[in-house]
Amino acid sequence: MTKSGPLGWLIRNPIWVFVAIIFVFFSLSTDRFFDIANFRNILVQTSTIGLIALGMTLVMINGNIDLSVGATLALAASVTVDAMGWAVFADWGNWQILPAVLLRLLTGVAIGALNGFIVWKTGVDAFIVTLGAMLGIRGLVFVYTQEQSFFATNFTYSDFDYSSVLGVPTLAIVFLVFTVATHILLSRTVHGSNTYAVGDNREAAVNAGIRVGPHMVVNFVIVGFFAALAGITLSTQMGAATPNLGREFELWVITAVVLGGTKLTGGAGSIIGTFGGVLAIGMLRNGMNLIGVPAFYVLLVLGTILIFVLFLDKQLNRQGDEEIRL
Amino acid sequence: MTDTAAAGTILRLEKIVKTFPGVRALDGVDFELRRGEVHALMGENGAGKSTLMKVLAGMYQPDGGRIHIDGLRCVLPTPIAAKEQGVILVHQELSLAEEMTVAENIFLGELPRSRFGFVDWKVLNRRVGDILETLNVDFGPRTKVNRLSIAKKQMVEIARALTHDAKVVVFDEPTASLTDAEKTVLFDIIGDLQERGVGIVYISHRMEEIFRISDRISILRDGSYRGTLVTAETDEDEVTRAMIGRSLDLSRTSDARVAPGEVRLAVRDLSCGKLFRDVSFELRAGEVLGFYGLIGAGRTEIAETLFGLRRPSAGTVHLDGEAVRIGSPAEAIARGLSLVPESRKEQGLVLGMNCRDNITLPQIDRMTSGPFISGAREVEIYDKYQARLEIKAPSWRTMVKNLSGGNQQKIVIGKWLSMAPRVLIVDEPTRGIDVGSKSEIHNLIRELAASGLAVIVISSEMPEVLRVSDRIAAMHEGRLVTVFERDVVTEDDLIQAISGIGEHAA
Amino acid sequence: MSRVETETAASGKPKEADESAPGPDTNRTLVQILSSQGILIAFGLFMLGFGLFSERFLSLENMESVLRSSAIIGVMALGVTVVVISGNLDLSVGSMLSFGTVMVVDLHDKIGAAPGIAVMMAAVLALGCVNGFLVGILRLNSLIVTLGMLSAIQGLTLIYSGGKNVDIDPSSQDTTWFKVFGRGDIAGLDMPIILFGLLAVILHCIVAYTAFGRRVYAVGGNPTAAVFSGIRRGRVVFSTYVISSFCVGVAAIILGSRVMGSQNNVGQGYELLVLAGVILGGTSLLGGSGSIFETVIGVLILGFIQNGLLLLSYPYYTQWIVTWFVIILAVWLDIAGKRGRLFSPIA
């Protein structure tokens, strides 16, 4: 069933067929879709989910999952906005953003490391570990913020999302740069190869001497980093961190990654696919908004597409009629 | 030990002890390997061969004993440490990452790096290309492993042995799924390694291979060392006696052979895609029909098709003269078919369930009184088959995962006998179980046939098919080559038939 | 109880040291749960601890309050337990609860309480059938399917309500018999608790004592072996999702009746609390093990954590942080016991 050439590539990456269909559909439906400014918009809007999806792809190829990304994002955002108000940094002017952002990334990295370490040392399934973390970290956010929103008083920070380099929004650039970097990490480096190996056949990876535990921790750290980074997009857009920030992001992110063809059981997937999944979601939200469909239809369509892609993937990978029917 | 012998020694294991919770897997095992020697390691399943080799490969840490490589005492905390010391373990298949390329698999865990942790694909593909050339295979470094046949995957596994300047290479049942041509290549490679002074440890159950390539044979039984024999000075019987503590009686003296009754099962031109084609045979009441062939020859697939697990693409099946179409196992069971599947752990048992619940699983609907299951009736059935098959379990409440392989297999057999089938299909009935249980199961199969049951036995072990069958169907690449009568067939006939030699000659 | 299990039975001699074998066991008596499950002991210590700090904690009144507040999550957890035993997940129960509650409240004023309940149950069961068809018959991965359904049902709820919250006409709130499910009581015992208890007993009997229940365990324990034993796996899985959706329907009736209104996203996040309760009870996500009884314990632990922390005047969301630790600890100790060592052997 495996074909080479463009057709084979599309069979293995059916998401890009969807991207093309969605693209053509909306381009024909409304004039406002096929427009450079709108494409920029889509990139900025998707950069949040997109960044997390990059890290999630690594974790899921590893055969793990991280449900705590939304909560991580919220905690990191609260820490940042809070830290900018600390008296220590009061005289730093715009430089106060720097320690705040570093602190934010550190928070994400720390939570990722914690999740990864628990998965490694206890042997508890990542689904359960991060399910617990998702609840617990969200609880931390609520307790930490006392259920209040924090507002950034530094406008350089909150105006960041309007900034651009050579006409391309900074946030879009950040997203694209990290997409390329993660793609290279996954497809060209030893760490990337090991990521596939661990998810594909963990026993073989152990036998081959790959240090599976620390390896998985690294990928959890990466997704924690991206979750914290993605919070920048959100909290700069809003100039505030609400305790509910990033809620259900894990669902959007996992949807994007699975749409992009990453296998839940691990061992298969790609950043190119994930990028397609992220774009599909972004274009769908944007396009449906432009043609005036109420936002909640997007949820219905998205859920349906997710299940349909799964179905399609199953059909395309069948071994024909001679397959054993279990 | 003389000085010269010591100088030729490349590996010495002394008094290796390894315990698992409740089991002493290795009990002070000694082992010595010389340069350029093929040293066979033999023993029954569970004798500790694999455990010993995993200790050697750094996958297990011994609880006691010493490892000397090249005269130096070594500690091997990880598989990588073992590889660095020049010890390479070639696993029995299935230690491959299926979605990855051949090259990545061969260098798994030690991909060549250029700067910044990037994989040096050029070096990787060149080195793998060279290795594959010596192996004389028809796939390249960039082929994905999941596109290869089992035999070719085995060759990939073997290729791993050639990546290092190995001092010791351990082959763990390397020929289980190889064709004769591939075996020849493997033995050539082993010869090359020998010439380079590499010590080879060769684990296999196949006597003919052991006697063909090994220099010495060491034997393990129940986790302890039972001595070393020089191959040229011993014979199969001596090895067998060392392995099991007595001679193996392969004769069929005790069999009561009944005259076969009417035709129970008639299969005509049955095909299933590329798995098997135009298979026809008849099975009579009171007879055992053996299916013999290499792995992948389509035997198991025929059984699965008869049992409703696969949809045939052509052909007919008659049960007791009536044409039937079986679309699911539930229908097969209703028609009086039973299948003891190939893999008891994956297909035969729910390991986390107790013995009773496993045995009554296919007929649980009949076990109810009112809306609820009647535990007493279940226990009745369990007790009956526990006694009849002599299942050694503390009670019906014991989880089947806590039973030995032989008793697990008896649970599966009991499960299907309790269905009172008209046709019983048994796939690899004695794989991975000890010799004692093996002969019990063989006797049971003969008894069942004598009581009028029609039985199909699928097996990859020639002594087994010869032992239990009345007729033997030899399969080669999805075709049924010939059906032999047990009393006239020779081992050579069978080997030729399953390797397709007879076909070309004819 | 006919299903008894002596866990310690030393059997034969295990020839291969199977270190990775999952250890779901289906048959335990109360005594063995006590001896084998640290969670119950932890639960006891926890109750004792809180009891020492707050005398109200162990009062009958407080017990009833915990039970009452756990009833909705509890009812949903019963159904999800059946799904999880069969080796699947149901993440769509939260948005299904929103859907059901909005529908039953909305229809109350439009077509009356009884027809409203009937239509809502039919709709929710239909959603359960969709889940069951996709996972059971088409064999799609349950995590993704129910994730997709989570999103899709959320969309359906918003489309149905037009994005607005719904209420039962305030003038009829005190007079409608519909209030009995959330606000009524029998002999002083609150109706939600009675419904939770009743459903728990019924489902326990189905799961533990019927042929269907046995098949659910078999499919969860080893789906391949179940099929080889003639079990129609698709039908079993399909049924578990129908049961799960039925429980969600009951929860929606209780919730709608208690609140007499509903927000569109009232069930948001419930899927995780429900799953937390199931996991805490000791049901393995791998399938093939667990029981309704254990889930009731798990849900009660969640309820008591919440209640106890509130009584000690910790911030409301502290319970989530504590739940985080408790879930991981519970599962960790469970697998540590099975593998015979505290830390995973993976390097």
Side-chain angles (χ1 to χ4, degrees):
Chain A
M1 278 298 288
T2 35
K3 297 184 184 77
S4 50
L7 185 65
W9 190 83
L10 281 179
I11 285 179
R12 273 173 277 127
N13 297 276
I15 183 59
W16 286 98
V17 180
F18 267 101
V19 171
I21 291 172
I22 295 168
F23 185 81
V24 172
F25 176 77
F26 285 120
S27 298
L28 296 178
S29 310
T30 167
D31 300 338
R32 286 180 296 160
F33 183 79
F34 195 84
D35 177 66
I36 297 292
N38 190 47
F39 294 158
R40 261 186 232 147
N41 249 338
I42 293 177
L43 274 179
V44 171
Q45 286 161 0
T46 53
S47 62
T48 310
I49 286 175
L51 282 170
I52 310 178
L54 298 177
M56 188 71 89
T57 307
L58 298 183
V59 170
M60 286 177 67
I61 291 175
N62 249 184
N64 293 318
I65 199 163
D66 190 349
L67 299 174
S68 69
V69 287
T72 306
L73 183 154
L75 185 64
S78 315
V79 168
T80 319
V81 179
D82 189 27
M84 282 198 292
W86 289 354
V88 206
F89 306 131
D91 304 334
W92 288 36
N94 280 342
W95 286 104
Q96 65 177 232
I97 297 173
L98 184 70
V101 166
L102 285 181
L103 207 59
R104 164 201 294 268
L105 295 178
L106 200 67
T107 311
V109 164
I111 291 175
L114 178 68
N115 279 334
F117 194 74
I118 294 175
V119 170
W120 168 20
K121 280 300 174 190
T122 64
V124 177
D125 192 75
F127 185 87
I128 295 176
V129 171
T130 59
L131 173 73
M134 171 187 186
L135 271 178
I137 295 168
R138 181 69 65 187
L140 267 178
V141 173
F142 278 118
V143 174
Y144 178 58
T145 61
Q146 295 170 331
E147 299 171 47
Q148 305 294 316
S149 297
F150 281 64
F151 293 94
T153 45
N154 183 313
F155 290 104
T156 313
Y157 178 71
S158 49
D159 289 344
F160 184 65
D161 72 310
Y162 296 114
S163 67
S164 58
V165 178
L166 299 172
V168 186
T170 319
L171 293 175
I173 291 179
V174 169
F175 175 42
L176 291 176
V177 164
F178 275 109
T179 303
V180 172
T182 317
H183 175 68
I184 291 173
L185 174 74
L186 188 58
S187 59
R188 298 261 185 281
T189 69
V190 173
H191 180 80
S193 281
N194 289 352
T195 299
Y196 285 104
V198 168
D200 193 325
N201 187 339
R202 187 185 284 202
E203 206 184 323
V206 172
N207 290 347
I210 296 172
R211 295 207 62 200
V212 171
H215 169 88
M216 293 192 308
V217 174
V218 170
N219 282 335
F220 274 105
V221 165
I222 291 175
V223 76
F225 171 84
F226 276 125
L229 187 67
I232 292 177
T233 321
L234 264 186
S235 63
T236 63
Q237 278 170 357
M238 305 168 69
T242 72
N244 270 316
L245 201 67
R247 218 164 171 179
E248 302 215 326
F249 268 34
E250 53 282 341
L251 303 184
W252 290 92
V253 167
I254 293 170
T255 304
V257 174
V258 172
L259 279 178
T262 297
K263 279 212 176 68
L264 274 173
T265 44
S270 71
I271 293 296
I272 294 176
T274 295
F275 186 61
V278 169
L279 279 190
I281 292 180
M283 291 188 343
L284 209 62
R285 288 171 109 172
N286 174 281
M288 289 179 80
N289 184 29
L290 288 182
I291 60 174
V293 178
F296 31 83
Y297 278 91
V298 178
L299 292 168
L300 183 63
V301 171
L302 197 71
T304 313
I305 289 182
L306 179 62
I307 294 169
F308 185 69
V309 165
L310 196 65
F311 174 70
L312 205 64
D313 183 58
K314 181 119 181 165
Q315 291 305 307
L316 291 173
N317 286 316
R318 276 186 57 193
Q319 291 156 18
D321 290 336
E322 56 192 62
E323 190 174 63
I324 191 161
R325 293 175 301 152
L326 291 174
Chain B
M1 189 180 289
T2 65
D3 280 345
T4 47
T9 300
I10 194 154
L11 169 77
R12 203 166 75 241
L13 304 178
E14 278 177 10
K15 302 268 172 285
I16 300 288
V17 176
K18 177 71 191 172
T19 53
F20 295 110
V23 198
R24 199 169 176 87
L26 294 176
D27 193 4
V29 174
D30 295 320
F31 185 78
E32 186 245 50
L33 179 68
R34 296 178 194 147
R35 281 178 217 283
E37 170 189 53
V38 176
H39 195 145
L41 188 58
M42 297 200 74
E44 289 185 90
N45 290 302
K49 298 170 307 220
S50 291
T51 311
L52 184 65
M53 290 306 115
K54 283 181 175 172
V55 166
L56 180 57
M59 291 159 67
Y60 288 158
Q61 293 313 302
D63 301 318
R66 283 190 291 272
I67 301 172
H68 297 267
I69 295 172
D70 247 354
L72 295 171
R73 184 163 175 204
C74 299
V75 180
L76 305 170
T78 63
I80 282 287
K83 272 188 193 172
E84 279 163 1
Q85 293 289 338
V87 178
I88 313 267
L89 173 58
V90 179
H91 298 269
Q92 313 179 30
E93 57 194 293
L94 297 180
S95 193
L96 298 170
E98 296 273 325
E99 297 272 346
M100 303 179 80
T101 64
V102 167
E104 284 173 301
N105 267 289
I106 290 176
F107 278 87
L108 200 65
E110 45 190 352
L111 293 166
R113 292 163 191 253
S114 52
R115 272 180 304 170
F116 310 119
F118 283 84
V119 177
D120 195 335
W121 296 104
K122 241 196 245 165
V123 170
L124 177 66
N125 287 330
R126 197 189 62 231
R127 288 186 62 184
V128 170
D130 291 347
I131 292 169
L132 294 182
E133 208 163 299
T134 61
L135 284 174
N136 200 15
V137 291
D138 60 355
F139 51 87
R142 288 166 211 242
T143 314
K144 265 197 180 182
V145 166
N146 61 11
R147 296 193 201 172
L148 300 178
S149 67
I150 295 178
K152 285 174 184 169
K153 285 178 188 169
Q154 184 70 56
M155 296 306 274
V156 174
E157 194 71 64
I158 289 165
R160 284 181 170 169
L162 308 178
T163 59
H164 280 252
D165 285 332
K167 292 175 187 161
V168 176
V169 180
V170 181
F171 290 95
D172 191 357
E173 305 232 22
T175 55
S177 55
L178 294 189
T179 63
D180 281 345
E182 288 161 327
K183 257 185 231 174
T184 312
V185 174
L186 173 68
F187 293 156
D188 285 349
I189 292 165
I190 290 178
D192 285 349
L193 289 170
Q194 259 181 301
E195 272 168 36
R196 280 195 251 155
V198 177
I200 312 279
V201 182
Y202 191 90
I203 301 177
S204 176
H205 287 292
R206 303 191 178 181
M207 288 284 187
E208 72 274 14
E209 288 172 13
I210 299 280
F211 279 89
R212 180 167 155 195
I213 67 168
S214 77
D215 300 308
R216 290 192 296 166
I217 303 170
S218 280
I219 287 150
L220 291 183
R221 187 165 84 216
D222 295 333
S224 47
Y225 173 69
R226 298 285 162 145
T228 300
L229 304 163
V230 176
T231 311
E233 297 164 8
T234 184
D235 57 24
E236 294 192 13
D237 192 49
E238 190 180 9
V239 174
T240 309
R241 259 185 288 128
M243 273 168 60
I244 65 176
R246 60 185 160 82
S247 292
L248 199 57
D249 182 14
L250 287 176
S251 66
R252 304 177 28 164
T253 46
S254 59
D255 294 353
R257 292 200 56 179
V258 292
E262 77 269 38
V263 175
R264 273 281 157 81
L265 176 71
V267 174
R268 284 276 157 272
D269 300 323
L270 196 66
S271 304
C272 182
K274 283 175 252 163
L275 298 170
F276 59 86
R277 294 175 301 282
D278 306 328
V279 170
S280 303
F281 62 89
E282 284 184 349
L283 178 68
R284 292 173 180 275
E287 105 176 315
V288 178
L289 176 61
F291 271 81
Y292 185 59
L294 291 170
I295 289 169
R299 296 163 302 158
T300 297
E301 289 76 8
I302 292 176
E304 287 167 349
T305 307
L306 290 174
F307 201 59
L309 284 158
R310 295 179 191 270
R311 186 149 288 169
S313 48
T316 57
V317 177
H318 290 256
L319 258 175
D320 284 328
E322 182 194 351
V324 292
R325 295 200 76 86
I326 294 169
S328 71
E331 288 171 37
I333 291 167
R335 296 210 174 261
L337 240 62
S338 282
L339 169 66
V340 176
E342 184 178 19
S343 162
R344 66 176 170 273
K345 283 187 180 173
E346 278 153 35
Q347 302 166 328
L349 295 167
V350 184
L351 290 171
M353 268 189 171
N354 63 40
C355 297
R356 181 198 70 178
D357 292 5
N358 265 291
I359 282 196
T360 56
L361 197 55
Q363 51 179 328
I364 193 66
D365 280 330
R366 293 185 226 152
M367 294 285 110
T368 51
S369 57
F372 298 127
I373 297 171
S374 157
R377 284 174 62 195
E378 284 190 276
V379 174
E380 211 174 285
I381 290 189
Y382 169 79
D383 285 343
K384 182 174 162 194
Y385 287 93
Q386 193 260 335
R388 174 155 177 212
L389 302 178
E390 294 171 10
I391 297 169
K392 290 183 197 73
S395 90
W396 60 261
R397 300 180 182 90
T398 310
M399 301 278 159
V400 289
K401 70 175 175 215
N402 292 330
L403 300 182
S404 70
N407 284 307
Q408 284 181 346
Q409 186 70 359
K410 286 179 186 172
I411 296 273
V412 186
I413 294 175
K415 163 164 118 178
W416 289 111
L417 286 185
S418 73
M419 299 302 293
R422 291 190 291 179
V423 175
L424 176 67
I425 306 172
V426 206
D427 196 350
E428 300 288 358
T430 61
R431 176 177 290 176
I433 66 182
D434 56 283
V435 170
S437 305
K438 218 171 189 169
S439 67
E440 281 178 46
I441 287 172
H442 290 162
N443 290 335
L444 176 73
I445 290 172
R446 289 309 318 172
E447 280 169 31
L448 290 171
S451 72
L453 198 60
V455 186
I456 291 176
V457 173
I458 298 169
S459 177
S460 303
E461 292 181 44
M462 192 183 301
E464 180 161 284
V465 275
L466 289 171
R467 164 82 178 80
V468 300
S469 314
D470 297 307
R471 293 183 299 144
I472 298 168
M475 289 203 62
H476 171 66
E477 291 182 353
R479 290 183 186 278
L480 200 163
V481 183
T482 330
V483 179
F484 296 101
E485 287 293 328
R486 155 73 179 87
D487 296 332
V488 293
V489 72
T490 65
E491 298 195 5
D492 275 349
D493 293 341
L494 281 175
I495 287 172
Q496 288 188 355
I498 65 159
S499 25
I501 297 169
E503 235 177 355
H504 298 301
Chain C
M1 224 172 157
S2 69
R3 325 181 91 217
V4 204
E5 167 62 31
T6 46
E7 259 245 296
T8 48
S11 47
K13 51 171 180 179
K15 286 231 160 179
E16 299 138 36
D18 198 350
E19 290 172 301
S20 62
D25 40 359
T26 54
N27 308 310
R28 292 171 162 183
T29 61
L30 190 62
V31 180
Q32 271 126 16
I33 290 172
L34 278 172
S35 59
S36 69
Q37 277 227 323
I39 187 70
L40 262 187
I41 297 165
F43 181 46
L45 289 176
F46 173 86
M47 298 282 286
L48 211 68
F50 272 119
L52 289 177
F53 281 103
S54 162
E55 40 193 72
R56 271 191 56 206
F57 186 71
L58 292 176
S59 69
L60 208 60
E61 192 189 343
N62 191 48
M63 293 281 172
E64 194 175 352
S65 137
V66 169
L67 278 170
R68 190 171 44 230
S69 61
S70 305
I72 288 170
I73 285 190
V75 166
M76 290 162 75
L78 299 176
V80 171
T81 303
V82 183
V83 173
V84 173
I85 292 174
S86 80
N88 294 301
L89 281 173
D90 191 349
L91 296 179
S92 69
V93 290
S95 52
M96 213 187 277
L97 178 71
S98 305
F99 179 78
T101 314
V102 165
M103 203 168 184
V104 77
V105 166
D106 181 63
L107 290 177
H108 179 274
D109 289 354
K110 288 183 181 160
I111 60 173
I117 290 174
V119 171
M120 182 277 284
M121 283 307 273
V124 168
L125 286 172
L127 291 175
C129 290
V130 173
N131 274 336
F133 177 75
L134 293 169
V135 179
I137 312 299
L138 294 185
R139 305 262 192 276
L140 303 181
N141 178 291
S142 69
L143 174 67
I144 298 300
V145 164
T146 57
L147 200 61
M149 288 295 281
L150 184 159
S151 165
I153 297 172
Q154 221 172 357
L156 278 182
T157 311
L158 290 165
I159 292 166
Y160 177 85
S161 67
K164 291 190 274 296
N165 296 334
V166 292
D167 285 301
I168 289 175
D169 184 0
S171 62
S172 64
Q173 285 190 5
D174 288 329
T175 51
T176 175
W177 66 269
F178 180 64
K179 71 178 182 187
V180 71
F181 300 107
R183 302 176 175 185
D185 63 274
I186 295 177
L189 197 59
D190 288 337
M191 201 60 178
I193 302 176
I194 295 173
L195 288 174
F196 177 32
L198 199 65
L199 208 53
V201 170
I202 294 172
L203 276 181
H204 178 73
C205 288
I206 292 178
V207 169
Y209 304 124
T210 67
F212 169 75
R214 186 70 60 79
R215 285 196 289 263
V216 172
Y217 280 103
V219 166
N222 186 343
T224 308
V227 172
F228 270 85
S229 299
I231 292 173
R232 295 177 194 272
R233 175 180 157 200
R235 288 186 195 175
V236 173
V237 172
F238 184 90
S239 311
T240 63
Y241 279 100
V242 174
I243 290 174
S244 174
S245 64
F246 176 82
C247 291
V248 174
V250 173
I253 294 172
I254 298 174
L255 184 61
S257 161
R258 183 195 285 171
V259 181
M260 288 289 162
S262 180
Q263 297 177 326
N264 289 309
N265 61 351
V266 62
Q268 193 181 31
Y270 269 44
E271 59 280 343
L272 299 171
L273 289 171
V274 163
L275 207 52
V278 173
I279 292 169
L280 215 48
T283 299
S284 160
L285 289 188
L286 296 173
S289 77
S291 74
I292 294 292
F293 173 73
E294 288 175 336
T295 291
V296 172
I297 299 284
V299 169
L300 288 184
I301 292 175
L302 277 186
F304 276 109
I305 289 177
Q306 175 188 354
N307 174 270
L309 291 168
L310 283 178
L311 283 182
L312 296 178
S313 30
Y314 281 97
Y316 179 81
Y317 289 101
T318 315
Q319 53 167 300
W320 285 8
I321 306 175
V322 175
T323 307
W324 178 17
F325 292 114
V326 173
I327 288 179
I328 293 177
L329 206 63
V331 180
W332 181 17
L333 292 180
D334 190 38
I335 46 182
K338 279 168 192 160
R339 75 172 161 233
R341 55 201 284 185
L342 194 56
F343 292 106
S344 154
I346 290 179

